[in-house]
Amino acid sequence: MVRSRWKWYLTRQRLRAPRFWALPVTLLGAGLFLSWLFPLIDREVTLYGNEVGENFFAHLDSGSMSSLLSAVAGGMITLTGLVFTAITLAMQFGASQLSVRVVPILQQDAVMRWAMGTFMATFVYTLMISVRLAVSQANYRPVISMFFAMLLAVVCAVLFFVLVTRVTRVLNSGQLLHYLATEGRRAVNRTHPEHGPAAPAPQTHPQPDATPVVIRLGTPPGRGQTLIACDDRGLERLARRTGARIQLVPVTGDFVAQEAPLFLVHPGAKPWRRRNLTRHLLFSTTLSAGSDPAGALRALVDIALKALSPAVNDPGRAVQCLDHIEDLLVMIAPRLTARQPSAAPGAFHRRTRSWADYVCIATDEIRHFGHASMQVQRRLRALYATVAGACAPEQVPPLRSRLTTMDAEAGTQWPQDLDSRLAHLPDSQGLGTESGDTGNGLYRGV
């Protein structure tokens, strides 16, 4: 039980989107504190030198050090403005050319928050020390304060290069897709572990005659209204402890309106409280790639649809998305088969996505919007063939039905014999070869 609660706590901490302003404000406060601490240390060092008759760092001039600190402060505010402008333009470009899902990735990236916070903290630190030296007759020399300002300037220079590299990586379509696929694999491992517990049995037993208690959302959570995670084991323990029958109404990824139902509860022998139910749910503004496999597939599909739009017209990028979609489907298929329903019905029940749901989310919109692109059509056929090779026999029908639909559409879209023949051939690169990938034997088995 303790392990399960700790796992749910770690899941909440990892999936919660960090607030962009929290870390920069903390670093800004640290800069203000250090601008008070280091002058105090400089004063103590000066007093100690006077007591022992030693003039530490005699070759350093107080006026020159004050000018140097002022120069660092001016440089930092200029660099901060430049970086803020670059990040804003990167978000605008990513949203227009790739997907709106790029914006949260940039906002939540740790490098972005550390860079903005460090730049502003360095500016505030050097500015406050410069003001202190300018408005008062200081009886000390700001040696240590200056050395620390130089160290901060070096750190800011390193962070600047790291920041540029990170922004470039996010805006590079290949690296962005690799990042989303990696997050998707982590989500698959979390939601569909290879040796996970048996899936809950479907509720075929009769429900009690009493009308269930409907628990509604009420006041929207501060972090958003999209359900991104649920503590199944915690709700199962709660249901068994109270003797209640609990059903979660929304599925992961649903946007829950204010008065929409969250739970249907058939009360048991022991009392329960609403808070005991809702604390096992996690909400956010959107279903991210790391929250659920459907979120990762949805992000890849969005980028593919943007690439297939008339404004962008980049089917090659859509084929790149299909590469990673195929990888995720191959990973999901055997795990859904391995999780056979348990014999005993559970006290907690919720809807989960089936294999057909994942196939629909991953391919149907790309199939619709890419009907005029032979490259996308051939890559989709290869995807269905490869995934069919990793599926159990009962998982093949959703793939076969989509291939049948594509065959019917190809005759209308490509009336010429050559084009029709090419459009019917699967190819793992879209247009890698004229003969396609029919020689692997998988396509004939779909």
Side-chain angles (χ1 to χ4, degrees):
M1 180 184 298
V2 176
R3 181 181 179 182
S4 177
R5 290 177 177 176
W6 177 248
K7 184 177 180 181
W8 172 241
Y9 171 78
L10 294 179
T11 300
R12 290 172 62 93
Q13 295 301 117
R14 187 173 64 85
L15 295 183
R16 275 178 173 171
R19 301 185 185 277
F20 183 81
W21 55 266
L23 181 60
V25 170
T26 301
L27 293 176
L28 190 64
L32 288 171
F33 173 74
L34 293 176
S35 68
W36 168 83
L37 177 63
F38 280 109
L40 183 63
I41 296 176
D42 280 323
R43 184 178 293 107
E44 294 297 326
V45 170
T46 302
L47 292 177
Y48 176 76
N50 294 335
E51 291 177 359
V52 300
E54 183 72 23
N55 187 10
F56 299 109
F57 304 102
H59 57 285
L60 295 178
D61 178 65
S62 298
S64 299
M65 287 187 287
S66 178
S67 300
L68 185 59
L69 289 169
S70 300
V72 172
M76 282 301 105
I77 192 61
T78 303
L79 180 62
T80 303
L82 175 64
V83 170
F84 181 79
T85 303
I87 293 177
T88 302
L89 293 176
M91 290 181 180
Q92 181 180 1
F93 174 81
S96 60
Q97 297 296 318
L98 295 174
S99 171
V100 293
R101 298 180 187 270
V102 176
V103 176
I105 294 176
L106 287 169
Q107 289 178 335
Q108 299 169 13
D109 190 86
V111 174
M112 309 290 178
R113 292 179 284 123
W114 274 100
M116 293 298 296
T118 304
F119 294 161
M120 288 304 300
T122 302
F123 164 71
V124 170
Y125 168 80
T126 52
L127 178 65
M128 294 303 295
I129 294 180
S130 299
V131 170
R132 184 190 297 270
L133 294 173
V135 301
S136 63
Q137 295 295 328
N139 56 354
Y140 66 93
R141 301 168 66 241
V143 178
I144 298 178
S145 301
M146 184 199 68
F147 284 157
F148 187 73
M150 295 298 100
L151 176 62
L152 286 178
V154 173
V155 171
C156 289
V158 174
L159 272 177
F160 176 76
F161 290 115
V162 175
L163 179 64
V164 172
T165 303
R166 184 59 59 92
V167 172
T168 305
R169 178 181 178 183
V170 172
L171 296 182
N172 182 294
S173 60
Q175 293 181 342
L176 174 63
L177 294 176
H178 175 75
Y179 168 80
L180 293 174
T182 301
E183 290 294 305
R185 286 190 289 270
R186 292 176 181 173
V188 172
N189 288 327
R190 182 179 59 83
T191 58
H192 304 295
E194 287 187 283
H195 305 289
Q203 288 192 337
T204 57
H205 51 281
Q207 294 286 352
D209 295 335
T211 303
V213 178
V214 181
I215 305 299
R216 302 183 182 276
L217 178 63
T219 304
R223 292 181 176 269
Q225 296 175 244
T226 301
L227 179 65
I228 64 172
C230 171
D231 182 14
D232 294 357
R233 295 183 180 179
L235 287 168
E236 179 74 21
R237 288 195 307 269
L238 176 64
R240 294 189 181 278
R241 187 171 65 248
T242 59
R245 300 284 298 283
I246 302 174
Q247 178 181 354
L248 178 63
V249 177
V251 70
T252 304
D254 282 353
F255 179 87
V256 184
Q258 292 189 28
E259 294 302 322
L262 272 180
F263 294 98
L264 300 179
V265 182
H266 294 274
K270 296 182 180 180
W272 51 272
R273 292 185 300 175
R274 181 182 186 277
R275 181 179 178 278
N276 292 337
L277 295 172
T278 56
R279 67 187 180 91
H280 293 284
L281 302 179
L282 181 61
F283 291 89
S284 184
T285 55
T286 184
L287 185 64
S288 64
S291 303
D292 188 80
L297 293 172
R298 183 71 259 174
L300 293 169
V301 170
D302 284 352
I303 295 177
L305 297 182
K306 178 75 73 171
L308 292 174
S309 65
V312 179
N313 192 21
D314 186 5
R317 189 188 302 166
V319 168
Q320 287 182 315
C321 296
L322 288 172
D323 293 339
H324 295 287
I325 290 173
E326 176 185 275
D327 188 48
L328 289 177
L329 289 178
V330 168
M331 187 177 181
I332 293 172
R335 303 192 182 205
L336 292 180
T337 305
R339 296 192 64 192
Q340 299 297 333
S342 59
F348 167 70
H349 173 72
R350 73 182 180 102
R351 292 183 297 156
T352 57
R353 289 185 174 88
S354 64
W355 168 244
D357 294 335
Y358 283 116
V359 174
C360 175
I361 294 171
T363 63
D364 280 355
E365 284 190 286
I366 298 178
R367 180 169 55 84
H368 291 156
F369 282 84
H371 68 280
S373 171
M374 185 180 298
Q375 184 178 359
V376 173
Q377 293 292 302
R378 297 184 70 179
R379 182 63 186 91
L380 261 178
R381 291 177 180 271
L383 180 149
Y384 290 137
T386 303
V387 174
C391 286
E394 62 270 17
Q395 292 178 317
V396 174
L399 307 174
R400 184 183 292 115
S401 62
R402 283 159 176 80
L403 276 175
T404 303
T405 303
M406 292 177 66
D407 290 339
E409 292 177 346
T412 304
Q413 183 66 36
W414 312 101
Q416 302 298 326
D417 292 340
L418 174 61
D419 292 339
S420 179
R421 179 177 64 85
L422 292 176
H424 279 81
L425 296 177
D427 190 349
S428 59
Q429 297 183 34
L431 290 174
T433 60
E434 181 180 354
S435 59
D437 297 336
T438 55
N440 58 21
L442 292 177
Y443 186 72
R444 291 190 294 271
V446 180

